[in-house]
Amino acid sequence: MDGTEGGRAGRGGNPRIIFHVDMDAFYAGVEMRDDPSLCNVPLVIGADPRNGKGRGVVCTANYPARKFGIRSAMSISQAWRLAPHAVFLPPDFSKYAPASDAVMQVLEKYADVLEVVGMDEAYLDMTICCSPDGVPDWDLAHSIARSLQAAVKRETGLSCSVGIAPCKAVAKIATDRRKPHGITLVLPDEVTAFLDPLPVRALNGCGPKTAGILKDEGIATIGDLARTSPRTLDGILGSHGDWLHRIAHGDDPRPVVADHGPRKSRGNETTFGRDQREPSKVMRTARGLLDEILADHSKRDRRAFTTITVKLRYEDFTTLTRAHTADIPYELHQPETAALCASRVAAILAPLLDGRAVRLVGVRFSGFVEQTGQQLLARFGLAVQGLLARSSVDSHGRTVSRASLPFGAFDPGGLRQGLLASFAA
Ligand code: TTP
Ligand code: MG
């Protein structure tokens, strides 16, 4: 028995009990909670299907809709062809962020350590609370999972599934086994039997491309992967092969980390129903996206940010991204922030709207920093500047014109650069 075998059976090192929790059909679950008439009908959240001519994709579908073969990321027109009688709703992000927060607050009460990995999933290290005598009690873990699932339902109205295993990689795979509203427990000595028959795609980190490469080498299941030597895998996949080999053995030492570091960016994008040649329409859509992102960011994060990136895809799929980093961070609590951001997005976008039809537009914030008060200071500077401009008299007794004052020094967001009225209104 080699070292990895020990990891595979969950032996060696400290035994752990890890939960992976993933919400069931998350966006659709929130919509069904808010409108119970949607519960028993096929429901698709995504782009407007426009009677089968719609563009864009499915975000998610409830389980009744999945019976028709509808899946996340499928084109919305294909979803419509599969179930034209389904209810199609656009995503309403203003609902999903608070729902996610509410779920995480419930999970927090249960976990020794909680690691939120996305809007609808989290890992929980449950080792201490499930080891009353210092020895992991898997029966206790299972009953705590049931209680957690009931609490999530009771307190948020939403359904989740839970995977329980000795490591993160196996817990994540386990969650998917019994959806919706399932609990799947994989004991340490069941890890091998659990993993072996599954397709390699079940492993987190094995996307379609990697799976295709492995398939060409005759490696279809996780068992095949576990039996392939690391040296061979290294030759096929490089260092990623080594990682996949380890997790194929259930050997995943990654700890559950409470704070994975705050997110690096926040943004959104939209595909037009018809390619847009009208600059004002693209501008308006970008402004709508910007307002949504600002609203979402102010609910979830509230850190100031310095960089605004605009993404544009033309009808021929040429895609451009253009970013601007301000010297002084944009601060959410300042009333002028939305207008500053709007004028910046407009200034970036204007030269890109060169007559070519636009398929997609996106906006993103990054360069997050804690609130600095600099924007407030800059605003104060503007006020002082205004006073000076109205009343300044130089040392020779001459009136100093407003234009001679260093406006640029007080204009962090670039308001002076083309404040496009239609956009910033
Ligand atoms: P998932 O957890 O992958 O899917 P889900 O919660 O809808 O369904 P499941 O029961 O299988 O877990 O994603 C969470 C949310 O993220 C999902 O509700 C919508 C969104 N999402 C997209 O917008 N596009 C995508 O391609 C995927 C996969 C998810
Ligand atoms: Mg989910």
Side-chain angles (χ1 to χ4, degrees):
M1 189 180 288
D2 65 18
T4 49
E5 190 66 24
R8 190 165 206 212
R11 292 186 294 272
N14 296 324
R16 295 184 296 156
I17 296 184
I18 309 296
F19 284 14
H20 176 256
V21 175
D22 188 285
M23 304 309 293
D24 300 323
F26 181 52
Y27 292 0
V30 175
E31 302 296 347
M32 291 190 294
R33 175 195 67 185
D34 295 348
D35 179 357
S37 75
L38 298 170
C39 286
N40 297 315
V41 295
L43 171 65
V44 181
I45 310 298
D48 184 346
R50 293 175 183 265
N51 291 334
K53 297 195 184 76
R55 299 170 8 131
V57 293
V58 172
C59 293
T60 194
N62 68 356
Y63 281 79
R66 292 185 199 193
K67 289 198 181 127
F68 294 90
I70 298 174
R71 298 283 180 269
S72 294
M74 172 182 277
S75 80
I76 200 74
S77 49
Q78 192 186 351
W80 191 86
R81 283 194 294 276
L82 289 169
H85 58 291
V87 175
F88 288 82
L89 288 180
D92 181 349
F93 296 103
S94 68
K95 290 182 181 176
Y96 309 144
S100 170
D101 290 344
V103 168
M104 299 309 163
Q105 275 170 31
V106 177
L107 301 187
E108 207 162 27
K109 292 183 204 147
Y110 281 82
D112 300 335
V113 185
L114 175 72
E115 179 178 333
V116 178
V117 285
M119 223 183 200
D120 93 324
E121 63 178 305
Y123 291 102
L124 290 76
D125 193 320
M126 304 291 289
T127 311
I128 295 171
C129 66
C130 292
S131 309
D133 303 320
V135 181
D137 180 338
W138 295 89
D139 289 337
L140 177 61
H142 195 273
S143 65
I144 291 180
R146 271 204 304 272
S147 147
L148 174 154
Q149 213 175 32
V152 169
K153 185 79 186 168
R154 192 175 56 246
E155 291 180 33
T156 71
L158 298 169
S159 164
C160 67
S161 297
V162 186
I164 312 171
C167 68
K168 284 166 117 178
V170 178
K172 182 168 171 77
I173 297 170
T175 315
D176 255 353
R177 292 295 100 191
R178 286 197 190 90
K179 261 185 168 283
H181 211 66
I183 298 175
T184 305
L185 168 63
V186 185
L187 293 169
D189 59 6
E190 294 171 352
V191 168
T192 304
F194 172 74
L195 291 179
D196 272 7
L198 299 176
V200 288
R201 279 284 274 127
L203 291 176
N204 194 16
C206 184
K209 199 168 157 208
T210 305
I213 296 169
L214 290 170
K215 188 167 172 236
D216 291 344
E217 301 292 330
I219 300 167
T221 66
I222 297 179
D224 296 338
L225 192 60
R227 284 185 292 273
T228 307
S229 79
R231 183 192 292 263
T232 308
L233 285 173
D234 189 68
I236 302 169
L237 297 172
S239 59
H240 189 49
D242 187 45
W243 170 247
L244 287 182
H245 184 259
R246 283 188 73 169
I247 56 172
H249 278 271
D251 176 20
D252 176 5
R254 289 174 303 166
V256 176
V257 183
D259 187 4
H260 224 37
R263 65 154 69 210
K264 302 257 186 328
S265 72
R266 184 180 301 282
N268 200 358
E269 58 188 46
T270 193
T271 306
F272 289 106
R274 216 166 346 111
D275 295 336
Q276 269 304 327
R277 279 183 199 284
E278 184 52 59
S280 64
K281 177 84 196 294
V282 180
M283 286 278 188
R284 265 202 310 281
T285 303
R287 175 69 202 243
L289 287 170
L290 173 67
D291 288 343
E292 276 171 30
I293 305 161
L294 279 169
D296 187 30
H297 188 59
S298 56
K299 273 196 212 102
R300 297 179 65 84
D301 191 318
R302 302 198 59 78
R303 278 173 301 159
F305 54 95
T306 53
T307 303
I308 296 179
T309 304
V310 172
K311 174 175 169 183
L312 209 60
R313 178 168 296 144
Y314 298 105
E315 59 185 335
D316 64 356
F317 281 81
T318 307
T319 306
L320 300 179
T321 54
R322 294 283 182 270
H324 177 269
T325 298
D327 294 335
I328 295 176
Y330 300 99
E331 300 190 343
L332 285 177
H333 57 281
Q334 301 301 341
E336 69 272 28
T337 294
L340 286 172
C341 294
S343 67
R344 174 51 60 194
V345 172
I348 300 174
L349 207 45
L352 305 179
L353 300 175
D354 54 7
R356 281 182 283 175
V358 173
R359 184 180 169 82
L360 169 151
V361 65
V363 177
R364 182 161 291 280
F365 304 154
S366 58
F368 291 128
V369 292
E370 295 308 323
Q371 306 284 351
T372 61
Q374 287 186 66
Q375 194 181 321
L376 181 66
L377 282 176
R379 194 154 56 116
F380 184 64
L382 272 172
V384 171
Q385 176 202 19
L387 283 174
L388 285 172
R390 275 196 297 276
S391 62
S392 281
V393 174
D394 73 6
S395 53
H396 306 288
R398 293 182 302 239
T399 303
V400 178
S401 84
R402 193 181 177 95
S404 70
L405 287 162
F407 184 79
F410 301 112
D411 186 28
L415 265 174
R416 67 189 177 281
Q417 287 186 21
L419 207 164
L420 301 180
S422 72
F423 186 83

